Amino acid sequence: MLIDQCALDAVKGFMDPEEGAALYAAALSASRRGPCLEIGSYCGKSAVYIGTACRENHAILFSIDHHRGSEEQQPGQAYCDPDLVDAAGGGINTFDHFRKTLRAFSLEDTVVPLVCSSVVAARAWATALAMVFIDGGHAFETVWNDYNAWAGHVMGGGLLVMHDVFERPEDGGLSPFEVYEYALASGLFEETQRIKSLRVMQRKCCGAPPPPRKYAY
Ligand code: MG
């Protein structure tokens, strides 16, 4: 893997190195077939893993994030990082850190930042994707919307990868797990790999995904 792990350790983020190595391997395989897309750029740690793999195949990674941080990362909240607070009073801003990461790892010609919500980016999307990585907000509605906006764009044989899939409530929030279970139950995807909280699924067939299942909340 052509990544300076020491330099990457210095990038803010929540990606375990073992999960990152699996993410890189999945992207290296997938990006031979087309572009990849991730939801949840933050400061660029996962973009380095996926983007470096894409660069090896002359492929592209689209990386979506509004760069305003999630609810628990806002000023005054439990997971607020003071380094990310916008000096102009605009709350959290991770975009500058993200751009620095892309530059430091020579990924500016590989990674295309999309600074908006994933649902907005999906409105006019029409490009089949070899891999979609869902690692955005963890509220159920957010994960659910990310899945429904993007699962249908994964090409047949392509990969859907999810992060922070915890099966026990004591390990973390269950929303990614619930959506991951739905993806498998849909019949569109089958699991091919699990590394810690990372789940790799492969799309079995072409065609549109089924309509969203109604949840009570
Ligand atoms: Mg994550």
Side-chain angles (χ1 to χ4, degrees):
M1 184 165 61
L2 303 172
I3 297 175
D4 181 341
Q5 191 66 48
C6 286
L8 189 52
D9 287 344
V11 175
K12 294 178 187 295
F14 311 95
M15 178 63 59
D16 174 274
E18 202 177 324
E19 294 175 329
L23 193 58
Y24 169 86
L28 189 63
S29 165
S31 62
R32 294 189 185 106
R33 305 184 61 220
C36 298
L37 181 141
E38 74 166 347
I39 302 157
S41 319
Y42 197 56
C43 297
K45 185 163 260 184
S46 54
V48 171
Y49 287 113
I50 304 172
T52 302
C54 287
R55 189 178 61 199
E56 291 180 43
N57 288 320
H58 303 288
I60 287 288
L61 167 64
F62 298 99
S63 184
I64 303 176
D65 200 313
H66 47 58
H67 286 285
R68 288 185 271 100
S70 55
E71 288 177 13
E72 69 275 14
Q73 294 164 348
Q74 299 306 309
Q77 300 299 311
Y79 292 95
C80 178
D81 182 335
D83 293 348
L84 302 177
V85 175
D86 186 350
I92 295 295
N93 178 6
T94 55
F95 188 47
D96 292 346
H97 289 257
F98 181 66
R99 291 190 67 200
K100 281 179 191 165
T101 302
L102 296 187
R103 174 172 287 200
F105 288 84
S106 303
L107 290 170
E108 289 175 306
D109 293 333
T110 300
V111 180
V112 178
L114 298 173
V115 185
C116 58
S117 84
S118 93
V119 172
V120 170
R123 269 197 214 153
W125 196 266
T127 300
L129 297 165
M131 178 172 134
V132 168
F133 177 49
I134 297 178
D135 190 25
H138 291 66
F140 180 82
E141 186 181 7
T142 304
V143 190
W144 181 240
N145 287 341
D146 289 342
Y147 173 80
N148 282 294
W150 294 100
H153 293 294
V154 178
M155 63 177 64
L159 302 180
L160 175 66
V161 185
M162 294 182 67
H163 194 222
D164 305 312
V165 177
F166 300 113
E167 301 182 8
R168 306 184 310 168
E170 56 266 41
D171 295 331
L174 293 181
S175 299
F177 176 62
E178 290 171 344
V179 174
Y180 149 83
E181 282 202 304
Y182 176 78
L184 293 179
S186 73
L188 285 176
F189 296 96
E190 59 186 347
E191 184 184 280
T192 58
Q193 206 176 6
R194 51 169 68 194
I195 303 93
K196 296 187 174 177
S197 75
L198 196 81
R199 298 289 181 274
V200 181
M201 294 170 273
Q202 185 168 36
R203 183 156 184 178
K204 290 194 276 191
C205 57
C206 300
R213 189 171 63 183
K214 296 291 184 194
Y215 273 79
Y217 51 95

